Amino acid sequence: MKYSMGESLRMLPRYLNINTFSAGTLAAIFGCTGPALIIIGGAADGGLSIEQTISWLFAVYFLGSLIGVYLALKYRQPIAGAWSIPGAVLVAGALQHYSLSEISGAYLVSGILVFILGISGLIGKIMKWIPVPIVMAMIVGAMIKFGTGMITSLEGTPLIVGTAILVYLFSSRYIKKVPPILMSFVAGGILAAIMGEFQSSSMEAGFTLPQVLLPTFSFESIISVSIPLTLLVIGAENAQAIGVLMAEGYKPPINSMTIWSGIGGIVTSLFGGHNANIAGPMTAICSSRESGENKEGRYASVIVNAVIFGGFGLIAGLAVPFVTALPGALISTVAGLAMIGVLVSSLQASFSERKFQIGAFFSLVIAMSGVSFFSISSPFWALIGGVIVSLIIEKGDFDTFKSKIKADEGREKFESAV
């Protein structure tokens, strides 16, 4: 359902509270730390200048935040905008083979492809035909690394990570007025500061204006970058965000999310950025119960996230050295704790019923494996694999599922005609 953006803005102060503020802030911290280092490292390996690197950061952070603000206000759903992390890894390698202008041309083509797929409504139709248990199992497989990450972090920094987890658990039990995730982050941050665990950055702070770039086109870069990046945006980021929102009881605007991901890719290409689109992990944090029990108001966490996220993009040259000094183990732990609600609800939706169990299992293990074929990451293959397995083994479940979809489509046509 669409809403008046003006009305959503007027209602926003009602939902801006400690829960939405902490969830939005933590989502932004997650997106501005480790992921930023991926872009910085990839730009350095590709021989980009500091100015070109800052322009790339500006494009994906600032424009990603605008996408989140628009969709959150338009649909009153916690749809966070950011950029594709696996996409950044993909294009970082391609920068060693193509010029920045050629890569930007490939970004532009990818954005146009995503936009066309959104306008056509094809993605919405495809997602409708993928059973919910298979989608939810993909979410668990793709995001379980956040849960395991906080446990593996115990090995390297047991005191900081252990304290953060214990504070979260005891806060959840005894302190109801303050979000436990916020308590966990503050306690872990204070302990990290006392222990001198904040990391120094080799990047010098300084304000730099973003650069407008004129894309050029080559057949090779389009084949190598555009097509895989398009599939990553749709099959990884958007699919994860859609599944997360469904797990939390929302009806995500699939086609609109795809359209704006395409627009984001078109605009960011003009600044040397790879794509601004819907963010899977950040949407998971903002849509989780950490944002409050009132689902209607969780979109406020995206607005908080977008202000910080967009501000990071505007002053990337100044902000990167300070934000990336946060201990990686603490960020991994807080991200894992924030994902608990999403992972639990997704697991319940995947395996609580007897239908599509084998397909959901294969979707789960494929996503968990982290495999990548043709530079396309595991969430996409998890959906494909889960559906194929169910079609082979669970044909009866699919026949029932197909009949239900056709009945729903018939009812919708009748209601629209009336």
Side-chain angles (χ1 to χ4, degrees):
M1 180 183 294
K2 293 182 180 180
Y3 295 89
S4 163
M5 293 184 67
E7 181 63 23
S8 295
L9 275 171
R10 283 192 292 272
M11 294 180 66
L12 187 61
R14 181 189 307 176
Y15 302 122
L16 283 172
N17 51 50
I18 192 167
N19 292 96
T20 53
F21 181 82
S22 63
T25 300
L26 292 169
I29 290 172
F30 166 80
C32 295
T33 49
L37 290 175
I38 293 174
I39 289 182
I40 294 168
D45 292 341
L48 300 189
S49 66
I50 293 295
E51 291 76 16
Q52 291 169 331
T53 303
I54 297 302
S55 187
W56 184 355
L57 289 166
F58 161 78
V60 294
Y61 278 95
F62 183 70
L63 294 168
S65 71
L66 294 183
I67 291 174
V69 168
Y70 175 80
L71 292 174
L73 294 177
K74 193 69 176 177
Y75 297 97
R76 291 187 197 169
Q77 295 187 28
I79 307 169
W83 47 275
S84 171
I85 295 175
V89 175
L90 167 72
V91 301
L95 278 169
Q96 300 179 37
H97 304 284
Y98 306 102
S99 68
L100 180 58
S101 62
E102 287 178 319
I103 291 292
S104 295
Y107 299 159
L108 178 58
V109 171
S110 175
I112 292 171
L113 290 174
V114 174
F115 179 77
I116 291 173
L117 288 170
I119 287 290
S120 69
L122 182 63
I123 301 302
K125 293 177 182 176
I126 291 173
M127 290 300 296
K128 185 187 294 185
W129 283 90
I130 301 177
V132 170
I134 292 175
V135 177
M136 294 298 104
M138 179 273 288
I139 293 301
V140 176
M143 295 193 172
I144 196 68
K145 61 186 177 184
F146 295 103
T148 58
M150 67 177 174
I151 303 303
T152 55
S153 296
L154 274 167
E155 186 177 8
T157 52
L159 187 56
I160 294 173
V161 174
T163 299
I165 294 174
L166 286 174
V167 168
Y168 176 86
L169 296 175
F170 282 104
S171 297
S172 300
R173 176 68 177 85
Y174 297 109
I175 304 175
K176 302 297 184 183
K177 293 186 177 180
V178 181
I181 195 71
L182 180 60
M183 296 282 289
S184 172
F185 178 70
V186 171
I190 292 173
L191 187 57
I194 293 172
M195 295 176 62
E197 289 292 327
F198 280 80
Q199 305 152 4
S200 60
S201 173
S202 59
M203 186 175 181
E204 293 184 4
F207 182 76
T208 305
L209 291 173
Q211 297 183 335
V212 177
L213 183 69
L214 183 64
T216 59
F217 304 94
S218 74
F219 178 77
E220 293 81 4
S221 66
I222 289 172
I223 296 298
S224 301
V225 177
S226 300
I227 295 176
L229 184 58
T230 299
L231 292 173
L232 278 174
V233 170
I234 292 172
E237 298 297 335
N238 278 29
Q240 287 183 46
I242 290 164
V244 162
L245 292 167
M246 290 169 61
E248 292 297 327
Y250 295 97
K251 293 183 178 179
I254 297 172
N255 291 328
S256 185
M257 290 166 69
T258 308
I259 289 169
W260 281 99
S261 293
I263 293 172
I266 292 170
V267 178
T268 51
S269 69
L270 304 178
F271 297 92
H274 68 291
N275 200 287
N277 49 253
I278 310 305
M282 290 168 59
T283 295
I285 295 174
C286 290
S287 65
S288 70
R289 293 184 181 91
E290 299 294 341
S291 290
E293 293 299 324
N294 184 0
K295 287 197 321 182
E296 183 183 348
R298 291 180 190 172
Y299 77 92
S301 64
V302 172
I303 306 302
V304 174
N305 170 79
V307 170
I308 301 170
F309 210 67
F312 180 86
L314 284 173
I315 58 169
L318 295 169
V320 166
F322 300 103
V323 176
T324 54
L326 290 168
L330 178 59
I331 300 302
S332 298
T333 303
V334 171
L337 293 171
M339 297 291 182
I340 290 175
V342 172
L343 289 170
V344 170
S345 59
S346 297
L347 275 168
Q348 290 171 341
S350 301
F351 300 107
S352 60
E353 298 182 4
R354 295 184 63 85
K355 293 181 179 179
F356 303 106
Q357 295 292 276
I358 306 300
F361 173 78
F362 271 85
S363 179
L364 171 68
V365 295
I366 292 170
M368 285 180 66
S369 71
V371 296
S372 176
F373 300 109
F374 310 108
S375 299
I376 304 167
S377 57
S378 58
F380 175 81
W381 299 114
L383 294 177
I384 299 296
V387 169
I388 291 174
V389 168
S390 279
L391 282 171
I392 296 171
I393 296 180
E394 301 165 316
K395 191 174 183 304
D397 291 345
F398 248 105
D399 290 341
T400 305
F401 179 64
K402 183 167 61 175
S403 299
K404 182 180 182 302
I405 289 177
K406 288 183 177 180
D408 290 342
E409 289 177 345
R411 184 166 56 253
E412 289 174 0
K413 288 181 181 179
F414 175 78
E415 290 174 353
S416 62
V418 172

